[in-house]
Amino acid sequence: MLMKTKQVIEAARRFSRPYRITKGNKFHLKHVDPGDTGELKSEDKPRAKEALQNGIETLAELQDMLYAQDRWSLLLIFQAMDAAGKDGTIKHVMSGVNPQGCEVFSFKTPSNEDLDHDFLWRCARKLPERGRIGIFNRSYYEETLVVRVHPEFLAAQRLPQECVTKDIWDRRFQDIRSFERHLHCNGTIVRKFFLHVSKDEQRRRFLARLDNPDKNWKFSANDTKERGFWKDYMHAYEETIRETATEDSPWYVVPADNKWFTRAIVASAIIDALASLDLRYPRVSAAQKKELAAAKKALLASE
């Protein structure tokens, strides 16, 4: 079992690292093909699904040690255009994780209470405790994505006028880098995923939702409206990744046109992140061993 786990961890590292961005200054979104499947072809899909299942089992083992050790926590952030597969990826990849050690939060339109605080506030309240995995389905990055594409949302934040300057986005990027550095220095490691779906594939998935009555609830008329801002969003994503990718809190730009490949990359990146923490179960002291031996003896002697 130990050998299998080590093999999965090594494979996960090799598989996910090509999509990891730690220095954004040379990053260009146009260099990432949403339909990319690495060295795998469509006929490798069954093998990739089997590897994903092995990865899920390894992820469960690592999460169990994370929970038992109670020292580190892991924050996973998912950002994407609509229909890129965030929900499905979270559901499949985290399917083997103990629910006690994992929480998922979805951040949608800010409430009035949210708008009466700084843009990091509502996410900071939901950060994972030590020993746990926190998943943000959208996050404080909405500030440099949706809000940047739609400046009218910034006006709704009721900021003092002197705080809204031409440098506001640079300051937002600086705030985010500082926040994530603070988290890392205090035992919460951050991994960020941009599920990069193509405009054509998004259209196909929207049509599939409309054609399936059971999926109609997932579609909103606003979804088609946002497609009109596609270039603006791609520019916002590219600059956000360029400005906030760091060695400690990297981005993974994951091709998302093929769901099976997306899920395999995300699972591999999470395994790599947890394995980097050198997790292990707490050691039992000599005194504790004596207590355990006494307890066992008492149980064996009882009826």
Side-chain angles (χ1 to χ4, degrees), residues 46 51 59 93 119 163 179 201 270 289:
L59 179 57
V93 172
F119 76 96
C163 295
F179 180 64
E201 177 62 17
I270 299 172
K289 287 181 180 179

Side-chain angles (χ1 to χ4, degrees), residues 235-264:
H235 173 73
Y237 270 109
E238 180 175 272
E239 187 160 1
T240 291
I241 293 166
R242 288 173 65 94
E243 292 291 336
T244 60
T246 65
E247 188 67 39
D248 291 333
S249 301
W251 276 97
Y252 285 85
V253 181
V254 185
D257 278 7
N258 297 281
K259 294 180 180 179
W260 59 272
F261 186 74
T262 304
R263 293 164 184 171

Side-chain angles (χ1 to χ4, degrees), residues 141-277:
Y141 278 105
E142 293 293 279
E143 185 73 15
T144 62
L145 298 168
V146 178
V147 177
R148 192 166 189 184
V149 172
H150 296 284
E152 63 272 21
F153 293 162
L154 183 63
Q157 295 180 12
R158 301 188 290 274
L159 290 167
Q161 193 58 45
E162 55 265 34
C163 295
V164 185
T165 70
K166 63 180 181 179
D167 300 323
I168 188 169
W169 304 117
D170 290 334
R171 286 192 276 110
R172 289 288 188 261
F173 289 136
Q174 184 177 354
D175 290 342
I176 289 171
R177 290 194 300 268
S178 297
F179 180 64
E180 291 178 349
R181 183 168 55 250
H182 165 77
L183 293 179
H184 184 85
C185 290
N186 286 275
T188 297
I189 63 170
V190 183
R191 295 294 183 267
K192 303 166 290 192
F193 299 91
F194 170 46
L195 306 190
H196 185 27
V197 70
S198 67
K199 193 174 183 181
D200 286 344
E201 177 62 17
Q202 187 200 55
R203 177 178 177 274
R204 189 192 69 77
R205 294 180 185 178
F206 278 165
L207 288 172
R209 289 180 180 180
L210 290 170
D211 290 339
N212 184 349
D214 293 338
K215 298 290 186 180
N216 285 175
W217 65 273
K218 298 185 73 174
F219 187 83
S220 166
N222 192 57
D223 293 340
T224 54
K225 178 182 176 182
E226 288 301 284
R227 279 173 60 82
F229 298 94
W230 190 273
K231 288 185 179 180
D232 295 326
Y233 273 112
M234 293 303 103
H235 173 73
Y237 270 109
E238 180 175 272
E239 187 160 1
T240 291
I241 293 166
R242 288 173 65 94
E243 292 291 336
T244 60
T246 65
E247 188 67 39
D248 291 333
S249 301
W251 276 97
Y252 285 85
V253 181
V254 185
D257 278 7
N258 297 281
K259 294 180 180 179
W260 59 272
F261 186 74
T262 304
R263 293 164 184 171
I265 292 295
V266 170
S268 296
I270 299 172
I271 289 169
D272 186 23
L274 289 173
S276 72
L277 301 178

Side-chain angles (χ1 to χ4, degrees), residues 91-115:
K91 175 182 176 180
H92 282 80
V93 172
M94 307 307 291
S95 61
V97 170
N98 185 339
Q100 291 185 95
C102 180
E103 288 186 281
V104 181
F105 298 100
S106 295
F107 295 97
K108 299 183 179 181
T109 303
S111 67
N112 285 330
E113 183 182 21
D114 295 332
L115 293 172

Side-chain angles (χ1 to χ4, degrees), residues 43-171:
E43 56 266 27
D44 295 315
K45 184 176 177 180
R47 187 161 60 91
K49 287 187 174 181
E50 182 181 353
L52 174 59
Q53 185 56 46
N54 290 333
I56 290 172
E57 293 172 4
T58 299
L59 179 57
E61 293 175 32
L62 293 170
Q63 186 260 340
D64 194 51
M65 285 189 281
L66 176 79
Y67 187 80
Q69 192 181 62
D70 197 29
R71 288 292 181 270
W72 293 91
S73 58
L74 173 62
L75 174 61
L76 306 174
I77 294 175
F78 289 86
Q79 296 285 161
M81 297 295 285
D82 291 321
K86 296 191 308 300
D87 292 347
T89 298
I90 293 169
K91 175 182 176 180
H92 282 80
V93 172
M94 307 307 291
S95 61
V97 170
N98 185 339
Q100 291 185 95
C102 180
E103 288 186 281
V104 181
F105 298 100
S106 295
F107 295 97
K108 299 183 179 181
T109 303
S111 67
N112 285 330
E113 183 182 21
D114 295 332
L115 293 172
D116 274 335
H117 293 82
D118 66 273
F119 76 96
L120 291 167
W121 180 79
R122 65 172 180 162
C123 294
R125 298 172 68 218
K126 304 298 184 181
L127 289 170
E129 302 173 22
R130 299 195 192 283
R132 289 170 169 77
I133 298 174
I135 299 175
F136 286 178
N137 187 341
R138 303 192 188 279
S139 66
Y140 45 83
Y141 278 105
E142 293 293 279
E143 185 73 15
T144 62
L145 298 168
V146 178
V147 177
R148 192 166 189 184
V149 172
H150 296 284
E152 63 272 21
F153 293 162
L154 183 63
Q157 295 180 12
R158 301 188 290 274
L159 290 167
Q161 193 58 45
E162 55 265 34
C163 295
V164 185
T165 70
K166 63 180 181 179
D167 300 323
I168 188 169
W169 304 117
D170 290 334
R171 286 192 276 110

